[in-house]
Amino acid sequence: MKTFLTTFLALATTVAAFAQTSDKALARVRYSFTHIQDTMQKDKPYTENMLLVIGKNASVYTSFDKINRDIETQKAIAEQMKNQAGSNNFSININRSGSSRVSDLDYFYFVNENKFYTKERLVTNYLVEEDAPKISWKIAKDTTSLSGVHCQKATAHFKGRNWTAWFAPDLPFQSGPWKLNGLPGLIVEAYDETRTVQFKFAGFENVKEEDVKAAAANDPKITVPGGGPGTVKIVGMDVGTTYLGAEVKLPADAVKTTRKELDKLKEARDKDPQGFMNAQMAAQGVTMAQGTSIRRTVGGPSGGAPVKIVINNPIELPETK
């Protein structure tokens, strides 16, 4: 079984590893994330559009670019398979050339349970559970207005950096971007003292029923050409309603693990990518549709070889004594 066959198209789902906790989604906050990952190239910061979905008790922080990319890929696959209806031998082309690099890390925060989950995608979705980080914020008297939202200043030392956050007392959510949380109001904007990591406010909207219905409509039903049984699961992608639906909840298909175990899995993946992929698919009990052929194209901004990523300024820095 070829690697590109096992990467994206499968006809089985994984079994949920634990019970889910869910909360009604009340609002969505968009951020423009900027991170100078390589200090030798300060003029080329990494940028990404991010999304925070918040409820009364829970929130999830994810990549808005990833959501849109996966939706468009799903639509393209659905269209290709529709055009090959009636054929028992079909091929799918997944073209990621020129697409921006997006984060495969999602962060779930549950206030009442004081729990924090990091979801990381290694073909299978893995969840690492930990106690919610406690940040010793110092709230200042300084105030400002960000896109018409009244905000107050707070500062703290967290994960090796000195942070400044602007939170909205009138929006009583204790969440924020990334792992920043715990203030008496939504964290609207935040940055470290070097300004090499910044989360800038890009919009706020209440979740409406029509938005949820629109998200469901954007999730194409991908069926097997030739009248084959079942629908197709795109391994390594999340449907639009995962984050644009009516609830904030842990993914049902994720496997709970520890940070140590996940690091071992990533090491195994880097040593033998194809063997790792095959093992992941086998562990999920995945079977392929007979006659399926998938070609995946991945490249840099111009469609060439993938760009080597240099990170000498990670968002989490070691604490200095």
Side-chain angles (χ1 to χ4, degrees), residues 94-107:
I94 300 173
N95 190 342
R96 292 287 178 87
S97 295
S99 63
S100 60
R101 177 166 57 94
V102 296
S103 172
D104 277 330
L105 291 172
D106 296 336
Y107 301 100

Side-chain angles (χ1 to χ4, degrees), residues 211-264:
D211 296 334
V212 174
K213 291 181 179 179
N218 276 333
D219 282 343
K221 302 300 181 183
I222 306 175
T223 56
V224 180
T231 57
V232 176
K233 174 182 171 62
I234 309 300
V235 177
M237 291 187 194
D238 295 306
V239 296
T241 49
T242 301
Y243 302 107
L244 303 180
E247 292 182 311
V248 178
K249 59 183 179 181
L250 296 174
D253 65 345
V255 176
K256 189 174 180 181
T257 188
T258 64
R259 175 58 56 189
K260 184 177 181 180
E261 291 170 342
L262 188 58
D263 287 342
K264 288 181 179 179

Side-chain angles (χ1 to χ4, degrees), residues 61-73:
Y61 179 72
T62 187
S63 167
F64 195 48
D65 289 338
K66 176 179 63 178
I67 292 172
N68 290 321
R69 183 197 66 181
D70 285 355
I71 289 174
E72 290 305 311
T73 300

Side-chain angles (χ1 to χ4, degrees), residues 22-23 35 52 55 60 83 90 102 108 119-120 160 162 172 197 227 230 239 267 301:
S22 62
D23 194 17
H35 181 193
L52 178 70
V60 56
N83 292 337
F90 53 95
V102 296
F108 294 82
K119 190 198 86 171
E120 188 161 357
N162 293 319
V197 183
V239 296
E267 184 179 351

Side-chain angles (χ1 to χ4, degrees), residues 27-30 51-53 203-205 207 211-212 243-245:
R28 301 189 188 99
V29 191
R30 288 183 290 110
L51 180 71
L52 178 70
V53 184
F204 177 95
E205 62 180 4
V207 173
D211 296 334
V212 174
Y243 302 107
L244 303 180

Side-chain angles (χ1 to χ4, degrees), residues 29-84:
V29 191
R30 288 183 290 110
Y31 299 91
S32 176
F33 173 53
T34 304
H35 181 193
I36 298 176
Q37 297 178 331
D38 183 1
T39 55
M40 300 301 292
Q41 299 189 63
K42 293 184 177 181
D43 59 332
K44 297 180 180 179
Y46 174 76
T47 61
E48 189 170 3
N49 296 303
M50 308 300 291
L51 180 71
L52 178 70
V53 184
I54 47 181
K56 184 178 180 180
N57 173 57
S59 65
V60 56
Y61 179 72
T62 187
S63 167
F64 195 48
D65 289 338
K66 176 179 63 178
I67 292 172
N68 290 321
R69 183 197 66 181
D70 285 355
I71 289 174
E72 290 305 311
T73 300
Q74 287 175 311
K75 288 180 179 179
I77 293 173
E79 184 65 22
Q80 290 180 59
M81 299 186 81
K82 179 182 177 182
N83 292 337
Q84 298 176 71

Side-chain angles (χ1 to χ4, degrees), residues 185-203:
L186 174 71
I187 297 177
V188 171
E189 193 161 300
Y191 46 84
D192 78 319
E193 66 179 348
T194 67
R195 297 275 184 160
T196 58
V197 183
Q198 300 185 72
F199 304 92
K200 293 187 176 181
F201 181 60

